[in-house]
Amino acid sequence: MFRRALRLRLGPCLSGPGLGTYRGGSTVDWDGKVSKIKKIQSIFPGGAWSPLYDTSHLPPERSDVVIVGGGVLGLSVAYWLKRLEKQQGAIRVLVVERDHTYAQASTVLSVGGIRQQFSLPENVQLSLFSAEFLRNINEYLAVVDDPPLDLQFNPSGYLLLASEEGAAIMERNVKMQRQEGAKVCLMSPEQLQKKFPWINTEGVALASYGLENEGWFDPWCLLQGLRRKLQSMGVLFCQGEVTRFISSSSHMESASGEQVTLKRIHEVHVKMDHSQEFQPVECAIVVNAAGAWSGQIAELAGVGNGPPGTMQGTKLPVEPRKRYVYLWHCPQGPGLEAPLVADPSGAYFRREGLGNNYLGSCSPTEVSSVGSGCRRRDGERVSLRSQASWEGPTRVLMSQSPLALNWGLFPPSPCPPRGPTKEMGDVWICPCVLDISPIPTSPYQEEEPDPGNLEVDYDFFQEKVWPRLAQRVPAFETLKVRSAWAGYYDYNTFDQNGVVGPHPLVINMYFATGFSGHGLQQAPAVGRAVAEMVLEGHFQTINLSPFLFGRFYFGEKTQEHCIL
Amino acid sequence: MLKYIIPTMMLMPLTWLSKNNMIWINSTLHSLLISLTSLLLMNQFNDNSLNFSLVFFSDSLSTPLLILTMWLLPLMLMASQHHLSKENLTRKKLFISMLILLQLFLIMTFTAAELIFFYILFEATLVPTLIIITRWGNQTERLNAGLYFLFYTLTGSLPLLVALMHVQNTVGSLNFLILQYWVQPMPNSWSNIFMWLACMMAFMVKMPLYGLHLWLPKAHVEAPIAGSMVLAAILLKLGGYGMLRITLILNPVTDFMAYPFIMLSLWGMIVTSSICLRQTDLKSLIAYSSVSHMALVIVAILIQTPWSYMGATALMIAHGLTSSMLFCLANSNYERIHSRTMILARGLQTLLPLMATWWLLASLTNLALPPTINLIGELFVVMSTFSWSNITIILMGLNMVITALYSLYMLITTQRGKHTHHINSISPSFTRENALMSLHILPLLLLSLNPKIILGPLY
């Protein structure tokens, strides 16, 4: 408290001698010493001191809830907190976002798709509610005197293709999805050929096509709509980086007699951009919605400080993974009815705009560990190529790669179609291979792009994405890559599903992160779930208990198998 | 009186010269002992007053207030221990010195025989309070709160100085003992109307009257716990006490001048109670509840009947203890959750059952449950206003209903229901906190056995 008052009075000259020190006891040498005393210096004309220091750029000194991360998940949590509070103005919410240009945020670099075709019922419910939210967005996010939002929702649906061994699983999943209320239909290869003549149905045994509430939309518009609404509801926004958590621990004994150390976060230090200045924000609750950097925030809060194998030593397994998205032009490509097509090999594409442009990509093969790298014999859809629903197109970053785009650099003749080729480490691209043996040696770093920057690798397109696309859609044999960008997945290395809810040991930290590529489409529903957890203490509408943090310690995977 | 003033002054060297780990123990214990000596004042010889000297006197109006003041110092010290534990030693000692200084001024204010002496000390109490609010309050808004508090009270009380000077010049003395016999009825003229306003406005702002109450929610909410306690329990009563004293010289102008203020208070009492129903901040709710209760006191003092005076004095003491206790309870919540928002800390009954008992008792006394002295005060006021004008019973009845509503709303929101997730691990109640609450509620409950000691001079 003293430090705060001191800061209030001394302003930016923090490093100067403290208020309590007595400079120079003698009055002999006036001229030199006097002008060096900071206080006197500052009250000279032209001095920079003002007694009531302007702190308008700093966050407030206290807030009830601090949300770390201003992407769509963080804003969604803030929205539902303000919406579900019983009286207006009851809770003070502060959203701390490091980069207001959202240059590296996953939300705006996303492909923007939304689907209900998951294998976990909770995921289906989350997406269903989010679709309903997006459809009625102008009732949810209405602000007086502001124009309505246009999300540019293209309800074209998703088309997931399955090979022989994945067909049974797909049928089961579709049955579950229909029970939950999603409108999905199954199509045989013949029906597929009739409906979408541009598809090559070789190797496809079954397809599931979403009829309603699926498609893609503009995530930037959603973000801006949420920001606008939140500002009207009184949520404070602050640009800064969270550098420290001040917390207190208390040692308690659990019911079974073992010692636990519970932590409670008291203050969040928010550092300003390009400056040493920071503001300690006293808070009651912290929500970690930092996306790809959630792991770092969790470490700052002390999650995972402990011997491995204990709850205390369990880290938040969310790390940034870089994924590319390529935009190409193909004059003979699929028409306006084309849904977002996901090949069993992991490549996906969707139509972008009305000029025969398409967006698409493929996630790198996951070969990080033996367990998760296996494909099962019973034909379980492999989650090797992880979590594709990497969706997102609206912001296009031009890459510097010389190989890059720029129309005209590509040979006019179509490249030879590439069939199944052998990859590094004996992983076959073609999913028809029932390869049960654990994937040997190749280190996953060769597959996973380096998440240090957002540079795009066009070789990846040439070698991995294009062949698979060309095999599935013959028209894509002739295409020109216009541009590409890369973005981060907040990748949950444990089971690629989100982490929602409070941490068992750091009492007042709640998570809303780790969705590994399908965070955008579930953001409204997840925001509501976290707000219910904070305000009521339990999930009320959708039960997300399989997504709690405890599963990392207990080892219970909530695996999502329909990863796009 | 020196037997109270000298020990209180000596508490200061006690604080500064104690060993580091003994400052709280020494100051709390010694102030508790001093407060017990204040009970000697109850031994009043006659119906008039107990005169110590030409400068100090105490009668049955100032005695309960004085005992409350001295009782509150150990309680304030107990309540501040936790939030000051992180400060360095000099700051702690400074804080305790501020409290002791404030206590000293308050003791002298309540026993002042001379009205100018009273005025000087009345203003002097502002200084330590301002220092406590702005220096040790929690948020940036405390600077604003301090400004509001200071300037509202100063602006209200400067005309009082002028009026007192005038009375000194005309009547010849401002000594209360003499004034009782030398005062002459004020004829009805414009200058006397302004004189009446000048005398009363200082105390109206302090009470606070509904239209001038803006400083109170700010100051109460931003002050640290000791500041809130002393503000709610004592400083508001300074206004009431002053009004009760100064009406002696203001007759019969009060008969018609009081009307607008009675109306304002009656209306304000209902409005501030209604605001309490919509508050989300716990301390803010208790602050507005104080305004509502004090509005009753203003009405009682202005209608000037024996029963209303009795009700006013009883209500002042009862509200002092209740309000202070509610602030302590809110602070115990705040120290655990670090948020004053009510909905973030719910269902505490399952986790802290003993604290829930204190919450229950405080809420019940706040809503004036029989047979507590809160009810006695309110009942006397309601009866006397009814006989003054029949219609006021509707307003008073409405106020009692709304008071009950928000007190129970506060109780149910904080104590009942399912607890929020993040309060699973709050630390259990400290013995210090339980002692604090019991020391608040015990006098309150014991007084209901013998309320005549707080009914003031007209009993």
Side-chain angles (χ1 to χ4, degrees), chain A residues 15-32:
Chain A
S15 52
L19 211 50
T21 59
Y22 180 56
R23 284 292 287 275
S26 69
T27 52
V28 171
D29 185 357
W30 262 106
D31 296 330

Side-chain angles (χ1 to χ4, degrees), chain B residues 63-291:
Chain B
T63 305
L65 287 168
L66 198 57
I67 300 178
L68 180 63
T69 313
M70 304 227 262
W71 183 245
L72 218 67
L73 182 61
L75 267 45
M76 288 195 280
L77 289 167
M78 276 202 276
S80 316
Q81 246 179 304
H82 186 256
H83 77 87
L84 284 179
S85 55
K86 293 183 285 294
E87 304 238 353
N88 70 3
L89 198 60
T90 317
R91 299 287 155 209
K92 282 191 218 178
K93 290 186 180 171
L94 260 174
F95 185 82
I96 301 178
S97 318
M98 284 296 123
L99 288 180
I100 296 170
L101 195 61
L102 184 58
Q103 172 85 331
L104 192 61
F105 289 150
L106 282 169
I107 294 175
M108 294 203 284
T109 318
F110 279 123
T111 52
E114 173 89 41
L115 280 180
I116 291 281
F117 187 41
F118 169 80
Y119 176 80
I120 294 174
L121 290 163
F122 180 77
E123 297 298 311
T125 56
L126 289 181
V127 175
T129 317
L130 186 69
I131 296 179
I132 293 174
I133 295 179
T134 49
R135 183 66 190 70
W136 280 281
N138 280 326
Q139 295 161 233
T140 4
E141 290 89 0
R142 69 184 185 275
L143 300 171
N144 202 9
L147 269 165
Y148 263 72
F149 169 64
L150 185 69
F151 283 104
Y152 262 74
T153 333
L154 271 179
T155 318
S157 54
L158 279 175
L160 177 63
L161 183 62
V162 175
L164 288 178
M165 295 280 121
H166 172 76
V167 172
Q168 169 83 4
N169 282 339
T170 50
V171 179
S173 160
L174 276 176
N175 194 322
F176 198 72
L177 310 167
I178 303 175
L179 212 51
Q180 292 176 41
Y181 303 109
W182 278 8
V183 71
Q184 311 214 320
M186 278 199 329
N188 188 0
S189 70
W190 273 106
S191 50
N192 278 344
I193 290 179
F194 283 113
M195 158 95 163
W196 190 94
L197 276 175
C199 290
M200 284 297 216
M201 286 324 282
F203 306 116
M204 296 286 189
V205 172
K206 203 77 172 160
M207 281 299 279
L209 180 67
Y210 173 60
L212 305 162
H213 69 289
L214 229 45
W215 63 272
L216 188 134
K218 290 191 201 293
H220 274 138
V221 167
E222 306 303 331
I225 179 61
S228 292
M229 283 168 77
V230 76
L231 265 172
I234 315 292
L235 290 175
L236 264 48
K237 293 20 177 205
L238 264 182
Y241 174 76
M243 266 167 82
L244 282 167
R245 293 285 185 224
I246 207 94
T247 43
L248 187 72
I249 62 172
L250 295 175
N251 280 320
V253 182
T254 317
D255 294 342
F256 59 89
M257 274 307 294
Y259 273 103
F261 298 99
I262 297 178
M263 297 305 139
L264 209 49
S265 289
L266 282 172
W267 174 239
M269 154 181 99
I270 297 185
V271 165
T272 40
S273 301
S274 315
I275 292 179
C276 284
L277 283 173
R278 294 289 303 166
Q279 285 298 321
T280 52
D281 183 340
L282 194 52
K283 268 181 112 168
S284 196
L285 194 152
I286 305 171
Y288 275 106
S289 141
S290 286
V291 180

